[in-house]
Amino acid sequence: MSFRKPPNVIGRWEPTELASTILSASSRQVIRAWISSKEFLDEHHDPVMLMTDTHAENSFANLVRATNPDLAPTVVLNELLRKGVVEPLDSGYLMLRRSVYAPSQPRPQHEPRINRVIETDDDIPRRRYNDVY
């Protein structure tokens, strides 16, 4: 018996105990998809920020529908907002708070990423590496 991951899943992150404790099963399922499905990770395999606009290609509603078509995106979003798991930004994006997911294995010593900002030329906002403002 083989325990291989599907080709679109990356095992860099896992939900924290906090997420497992405070979230409903359906919201945990959405968080797991957000931190492990290639289509919702950036080039560094970090969770992308998703648009709140349901018609956008990279919207939170698309994440929920891709995770489980039976879930209502608005219901899941309301829970995540109420519990402080996602942060709405003025730009219309939703950012998954860093306290909800942790590395599934220790990061090598030569790769410090805390508080480092990735500079790019595109207009996509980049996330913080922790929840400290």
Side-chain angles (χ1 to χ4, degrees):
M1 179 181 223
S2 175
F3 291 104
R4 294 186 322 187
K5 292 180 184 168
N8 66 337
V9 173
I10 295 178
R12 178 177 179 178
W13 303 110
E14 62 185 35
T16 60
E17 187 176 342
L18 171 71
S20 300
T21 303
I22 67 171
L23 296 176
S24 67
S26 56
S27 290
R28 285 193 309 267
Q29 185 181 16
V30 170
I31 296 299
R32 270 192 223 97
W34 198 345
I35 63 176
S36 64
S37 297
K38 282 184 180 179
E39 59 265 32
F40 302 107
L41 298 172
D42 66 14
E43 65 275 1
H44 302 287
H45 303 294
D46 292 321
V48 297
M49 289 190 243
L50 299 172
M51 294 293 297
T52 54
D53 178 8
T54 58
H55 301 299
E57 184 177 323
N58 63 335
S59 71
F60 180 78
N62 286 345
L63 166 65
V64 175
R65 284 191 289 271
T67 303
N68 184 341
D70 296 331
L71 297 176
T74 306
V75 173
V76 175
L77 178 58
N78 285 340
E79 178 184 358
L80 297 180
L81 287 168
R82 192 174 64 251
K83 304 268 176 99
V85 171
V86 295
E87 179 181 337
L89 304 176
D90 292 338
S91 61
Y93 282 89
L94 281 175
M95 181 178 67
L96 182 63
R97 305 276 320 230
R98 191 63 182 84
S99 55
V100 179
Y101 61 99
S104 59
Q105 48 190 313
R107 181 177 296 282
Q109 292 289 345
H110 66 278
E111 195 178 342
R113 298 258 313 259
I114 296 177
N115 292 330
R116 193 180 96 201
V117 176
I118 298 171
E119 297 293 332
T120 62
D121 294 332
D122 55 16
D123 291 332
I124 300 172
R126 297 295 176 198
R127 64 165 290 102
R128 300 183 303 264
Y129 290 98
N130 61 33
D131 289 338
V132 178
Y133 291 96

